[in-house]
Amino acid sequence: MTNYAVILAAGKGTRMKSDLPKVLHKVAGISMLEHVFRSVAAIAPEKTVTVVGHKAELVEQVLAGQTEFVRQTEQLGTGHAVMMAEPVLEGLAGQTLVIAGDTPLITGESLKNLIDFHVNHKNVATILTAEAENPFGYGRIVRNQQEEVIKIVEQKDASDFEKQIKEINTGTYIFDNARLFEALKNINTNNAQGEYYITDVIGIFRENGEKVGAYTLKDFDESLGVNDRVALATAEGIMRRRINQAHMVNGVSFVNPETTYIDVDVHIEPEVQIEANVTLKGQTKIGAGSVLTNGTYIVDSVIGEQTVITNSMIEESTVADGVTVGPYAHVRPDSSLAKNVHVGNFVEVKGSSIGENTKAGHLTYIGNSEVGANVNFGAGTITVNYDGQHKFKTVIGNNVFVGSNSTIIAPVELGDNSLVGAGSTITKDVPADAIALGRGRQINKEEYAKRLPHHPDNK
Ligand code: UD1
Ligand code: CA
């Protein structure tokens, strides 16, 4: 049987109090809509239709090229939203998953179970439900004395008796596709919110004597619908715990997973050790055996094997095997550190490539530079890359030794094996094998200090 999917993502999400459409708010690094879309992929739909409306262009960008879009220009309710998919899906044989874009925790596994249940029971409609400790705000599943589902009633329309029901509607359903669009022609807006409810088709099927069922999630957490920022933070917490658990199962050690923040697309190899308060964001990869200490923050970067990153920030850069970074180093975008490089205390690297075994241990700024292998930067070296208007490049060969507190004013080139004397200001290229001294000569005035008040002779 052919599967189809409809994702509802047209709403504004008033309760978020946000300029951003609700479904674009992120959970563990990607939007709620992308989470839903990835779970939906597990049932391999032949067509996926995403219903967009509020700030449609913005929402479409996120899934561009991956789904068909239909527009719901006025948000008249979830039932009305599904009707918008009619031109794409009406009359097709198969079954259709309908899912809300604000339920980011529902897994692909659960959607597969739901569809199997639906097919095995030969239902016309199957609702994904969950048992909620606090069902407030959700639609309730109303069953008759034979425990059969007879309808869904919304919070705002529920009687006091119905409000006691703990089984809730997750907003996810499987429908016989053709019957779905027929039933939608019969829903109306006679309810507390004056909206077309998708949930009303359940009652319509029942009245027609058609078979309706419910598949209940084992884990309530999955069903969480994010309507406000409190629920958004709850979803974030649940998602992070899931992510960290998966890494632990794969052989990654955490000192305190409760304070470790790892985005969903981060890849970590086994035997990595992660201390507390570490954040790994975006498309980051961490190689086997690396150690990330307390306070490390890495964004969109590829880190090699056996590295040690100590309380440092790395952004949009690549770090090869055996590199040590920090404490308190900042590797800024477009940098690459080759094997066994060391960047230490209070070192900043930006838009630079640094060759194997090169070391900058202390208080150094390396910007827009191409640095060779086995270079040693003394403490306090600055590449001066900016004249207030333009950026200039520094090129440093292999085996160069830069003495402490040197200022290297770009554009400039230091040849292989050259040496810069400590305290130099370098404005001209240094040939290979040369020593460059760019500082005032020292003068000693013998006995002169005796004339000054600080001297013991004058006390
Ligand atoms: C809905 C269900 C409720 C269920 C809950 C689960 C209905 C009537 N109620 O309520 O039974 O317990 O989800 O989380 O369906 N949307 C549109 N167009 C619209 C209205 C909504 O695309 O005109 C989209 C929203 O962007 C959102 C989703 O549909 O992604 C759900 O809408 P929302 O208003 O959050 O529904 P709930 O009140 O949570
Ligand atoms: Ca909702």
Side-chain angles (χ1 to χ4, degrees):
M1 274 273 255
T2 315
N3 296 335
Y4 308 103
V6 177
I7 302 175
L8 306 186
K12 177 173 190 294
T14 309
R15 290 163 281 183
M16 297 296 281
K17 310 220 166 94
S18 177
D19 286 340
L20 196 66
K22 175 167 72 175
V23 297
L24 296 191
H25 281 261
K26 288 184 177 179
V27 171
I30 63 170
S31 65
M32 295 201 272
L33 181 58
E34 287 167 282
H35 280 288
V36 170
F37 182 79
R38 289 179 185 195
S39 294
V40 167
I43 67 156
E46 184 160 296
K47 285 175 192 285
T48 302
V49 183
T50 303
V51 184
V52 293
H54 176 70
K55 299 204 173 166
E57 294 80 10
L58 217 57
V59 178
E60 286 178 2
Q61 272 171 23
V62 167
L63 292 180
Q66 302 181 73
T67 162
E68 295 185 42
F69 293 102
V70 295
R71 295 276 176 109
Q72 183 196 25
T73 41
E74 261 186 300
Q75 281 73 63
L76 303 178
T78 50
H80 182 256
V82 178
M83 286 178 209
M84 301 299 108
E86 194 180 284
V88 184
L89 297 177
E90 195 188 19
L92 296 176
Q95 56 243 340
T96 298
L97 166 73
V98 172
I99 188 167
D102 65 350
T103 52
L105 299 173
I106 294 178
T107 63
E109 195 59 36
S110 293
L111 296 181
K112 278 199 276 186
N113 292 340
L114 173 67
I115 220 159
D116 288 348
F117 182 96
H118 174 88
V119 170
N120 292 339
H121 286 76
K122 300 193 166 60
N123 289 339
V124 164
T126 308
I127 311 157
L128 185 66
T129 70
E131 288 289 330
E133 211 149 299
N134 174 14
F136 181 85
Y138 290 97
R140 309 297 208 286
I141 307 301
V142 181
R143 292 177 183 260
N144 64 15
Q145 283 176 339
Q146 286 76 50
E147 290 293 309
E148 296 162 338
V149 175
I150 50 172
K151 63 172 178 173
I152 301 173
V153 57
E154 290 303 299
Q155 174 76 37
K156 287 183 177 149
D157 301 297
S159 65
D160 286 344
F161 177 75
E162 288 163 337
K163 282 178 187 151
Q164 304 299 313
I165 299 171
K166 300 226 158 181
E167 188 183 6
I168 59 105
N169 169 28
T170 64
T172 303
Y173 327 79
I174 306 286
F175 297 105
D176 174 85
N177 183 66
R179 289 293 298 122
L180 169 63
F181 290 100
E182 283 162 16
L184 279 172
K185 295 191 164 66
N186 297 315
I187 63 172
N188 59 49
T189 57
N190 303 330
N191 53 56
Q193 302 183 82
E195 289 183 356
Y196 292 100
Y197 291 166
I198 183 64
T199 47
D200 281 355
V201 299
I202 300 297
I204 292 172
F205 290 136
R206 272 300 300 202
E207 281 158 24
N208 271 330
E210 290 169 288
K211 202 163 171 239
V212 167
Y215 173 80
T216 308
L217 286 169
K218 284 173 212 70
D219 179 7
F220 171 75
D221 281 355
E222 276 195 48
S223 69
L224 184 72
V226 174
N227 295 326
D228 58 27
R229 293 187 200 231
V230 176
L232 184 68
T234 306
E236 183 85 18
I238 294 167
M239 185 66 77
R240 295 213 178 275
R241 244 165 274 143
R242 254 191 218 170
I243 291 168
N244 292 356
Q245 246 164 49
H247 288 301
M248 287 183 253
V249 169
N250 288 340
V252 177
S253 282
F254 290 75
V255 171
N256 183 4
E258 287 301 309
T259 62
T260 307
Y261 308 92
I262 302 178
D263 280 355
V264 67
D265 287 334
V266 171
H267 178 84
I268 309 177
E269 288 179 1
E271 304 287 6
V272 169
Q273 291 185 44
I274 304 180
E275 292 186 0
N277 296 315
V278 167
T279 301
L280 305 177
K281 291 172 89 93
Q283 305 292 317
T284 288
K285 288 190 170 62
I286 311 289
S290 289
V291 177
L292 312 178
T293 85
N294 194 53
T296 290
Y297 192 103
I298 304 177
V299 187
D300 290 326
S301 295
V302 178
I303 312 295
E305 298 182 3
Q306 308 291 338
T307 68
V308 180
I309 316 295
T310 308
N311 203 345
S312 292
M313 183 181 228
I314 301 177
E315 304 170 276
E316 297 168 39
S317 290
T318 57
V319 168
D321 299 349
V323 168
T324 51
V325 176
Y328 322 118
H330 188 182
V331 179
R332 291 173 50 204
D334 299 318
S335 298
S336 67
L337 311 185
K339 273 188 188 174
N340 302 324
V341 160
H342 170 63
V343 290
N345 312 264
F346 308 105
V347 172
E348 176 177 339
V349 180
K350 187 218 79 178
S352 297
S353 64
I354 299 189
E356 286 186 27
N357 299 311
T358 286
K359 295 184 169 40
H362 340 261
L363 300 159
T364 289
Y365 173 65
I366 303 170
N368 302 101
S369 300
E370 208 181 289
V371 180
N374 303 308
V375 172
N376 193 301
F377 288 95
T381 302
I382 308 290
T383 57
V384 180
N385 61 334
Y386 187 48
D387 66 0
Q389 279 178 311
H390 303 100
K391 297 277 165 73
F392 298 98
K393 189 171 169 184
T394 299
V395 178
I396 299 178
N398 298 321
N399 310 310
V400 173
F401 187 98
V402 182
S404 290
N405 199 30
S406 291
T407 305
I408 301 168
I409 301 181
V412 75
E413 200 168 330
L414 311 185
D416 288 346
N417 317 318
S418 62
L419 182 146
V420 173
S424 290
T425 298
I426 299 297
T427 54
K428 290 188 292 198
D429 288 352
V430 178
D433 304 311
I435 291 180
L437 296 171
R439 63 189 189 213
R441 277 179 187 273
Q442 182 173 331
I443 313 163
N444 290 341
K445 299 198 171 186
E446 302 278 344
E447 302 292 316
Y448 264 50
K450 286 187 176 169
R451 303 181 187 179
L452 299 175
H454 81 282
H455 197 276
D457 286 2
N458 302 328
K459 289 216 162 119

